[in-house]
Amino acid sequence: MNTNELLKLLPELGTFVTVVDAGSLSEAGRRLQLPPSSISRAISKLEEQLSSKLLERTTRSLALTPIGRDVYEQALSMMDAAKAAIARIESQKNELNGLLRIAAPKALSKHIIAPLIFKFMALHPALKVQLTASDNMIDPATGEVDLLLQVTESPCEHLVARPVGFVKQVLCTTHGYLEQHPTPQHPQDLKEHACIALGEKNDDHCWYFANGETVEQVMTKGAFASNHSEIRLAAVHKELGISIFPEFVVKEAIAKGELVALLQDWAFQGSYHGTIYAEYSQSRFVPATIRTFITFLASELAEQD
């Protein structure tokens, strides 16, 4: 394939990457603001030009063929390189500098925010960032920080709040624990299990689960509690019971089969579950560092979903 032919396929390769990442033609169409029929034609054109079937398509799912996997990985690298090149040019045109002070919860900081800050700083080498990891709210109105990241459905009314992502809580345990205890099928079954709570408040052993309009309140019990997600995770690995975690803490362990997600039809309602809000003090002038970082954060978290 010569250069001219390759250039003509670049839009289709980009569409192909979006389809794989989105998991469906309709979701890819939503992201690209195109009808699913246009997405389907782009994939068909790419397959025709490459003389290879890239996707196995059914009415309910998409699956990569072996050659489709190879094409996806190469096309993804191409897209990442293009994004990096454009971002680098933009950063040089509007170079950010100075100090950006950010506060965020500890687990969110470690697993999500810090890696994205490192990526953001690579795009803006003149910028300095100070990240305060704390589960206590640090109000930007006090002048201690410029930007507060919170997981909440009730952002501070005196601050400007922008939604940038979502944190889901996952109930899980180990296979070893389930070999010794029956697998809970309903939230009320948790009453018969050892449950590891946060222990921050007197009512932290009271867990709430929602399934549609149905809400179940469960008073759990357990011999151990900790407000640190990694300590609770260690306790679960020691088969001390069942606990709740932000999905980003246990996603990899569940994928590897080290942990088992439970009651997946039910949504846990409680602390550290909900929308991630970026909050800053109200002002007629919002510094470019804050505006640019919030836009970057929202974009990166959308890609991770």
Side-chain angles (χ1 to χ4, degrees):
M1 180 176 292
N2 60 42
T3 301
N4 287 337
E5 292 174 326
L6 176 61
L7 289 173
K8 292 178 182 178
L9 284 180
L10 291 181
E12 282 72 30
L13 285 167
T15 300
F16 175 63
V17 169
T18 304
V19 168
V20 175
D21 289 344
S24 70
L25 298 182
S26 58
E27 176 59 19
R30 187 188 68 79
R31 295 185 184 184
L32 296 174
Q33 297 183 329
L34 292 171
S37 58
S38 297
I39 303 295
S40 180
R41 283 195 297 270
I43 299 301
S44 297
K45 178 182 176 182
L46 184 60
E47 290 178 331
E48 181 181 347
Q49 291 297 314
L50 298 179
S51 301
S52 301
K53 191 172 185 62
L54 305 178
L55 290 171
E56 295 289 353
R57 283 174 270 181
T58 69
T59 56
R60 292 188 175 182
S61 64
L62 296 173
L64 284 167
T65 63
I67 194 169
R69 170 62 61 183
D70 291 339
V71 172
Y72 169 73
E73 291 176 354
Q74 296 301 319
L76 181 61
S77 296
M78 175 197 74
M79 293 287 289
D80 287 343
K83 288 179 182 178
I86 292 171
R88 183 60 182 162
I89 292 171
E90 291 297 325
S91 69
Q92 291 175 347
K93 284 166 40 180
N94 303 291
E95 191 69 46
L96 299 182
N97 52 48
L99 174 65
L100 176 60
R101 301 167 303 165
I102 302 169
K106 293 177 181 178
L108 187 70
S109 293
K110 177 180 179 179
H111 293 275
I112 301 294
I113 304 304
L116 293 180
I117 286 176
F118 303 152
K119 189 173 182 179
F120 187 69
M121 293 180 71
L123 298 174
H124 304 282
L127 180 68
K128 296 179 180 179
V129 178
Q130 177 182 308
L131 173 62
T132 300
S134 174
D135 291 332
N136 296 319
M137 177 189 163
I138 302 178
D139 193 339
T142 65
E144 294 182 57
V145 296
D146 305 305
L147 187 65
L148 170 67
L149 298 170
Q150 282 199 106
V151 180
T152 181
E153 294 306 333
S154 302
C156 299
E157 293 184 359
H158 66 283
L159 299 174
V160 179
R162 305 292 187 217
V164 294
F166 188 83
V167 173
K168 175 184 176 183
Q169 292 280 353
V170 180
L171 183 75
C172 59
T173 190
T174 60
H175 290 281
Y177 178 86
L178 293 178
E179 288 174 0
Q180 304 172 52
H181 306 84
T183 301
Q185 304 296 325
H186 187 275
Q188 296 299 333
D189 294 343
L190 294 173
K191 292 178 179 179
E192 307 304 319
H193 287 267
C195 294
I196 303 169
L198 270 70
E200 291 182 327
K201 305 172 184 176
N202 292 333
D203 62 352
D204 275 347
H205 284 281
C206 187
W207 292 358
Y208 294 85
F209 296 86
N211 187 339
E213 296 183 357
T214 302
V215 176
E216 293 285 341
Q217 175 183 339
V218 185
M219 186 58 69
T220 65
K221 61 182 184 296
F224 182 74
S226 174
N227 66 344
H228 196 292
S229 61
E230 294 192 12
I231 294 176
R232 291 201 315 280
L233 184 58
V236 167
H237 278 298
K238 291 292 185 181
E239 300 181 1
L240 293 184
I242 297 171
S243 194
I244 288 283
F245 300 94
E247 185 177 38
F248 56 75
V249 172
V250 295
K251 187 175 183 179
E252 184 176 348
I254 291 173
K256 290 181 178 178
E258 297 171 359
L259 296 176
V260 182
L262 304 171
L263 302 179
Q264 296 186 70
D265 291 336
W266 292 84
F268 178 79
Q269 308 289 300
S271 301
Y272 311 112
H273 170 91
T275 304
I276 304 173
Y277 279 95
E279 302 174 65
Y280 54 91
S281 295
Q282 299 189 36
S283 173
R284 294 182 62 183
F285 171 73
V286 180
T289 50
I290 293 178
R291 287 188 284 105
T292 306
F293 182 71
I294 289 175
T295 300
F296 169 83
L297 195 60
S299 176
E300 290 291 322
L301 292 175
E303 288 190 5
Q304 291 183 13
D305 283 345

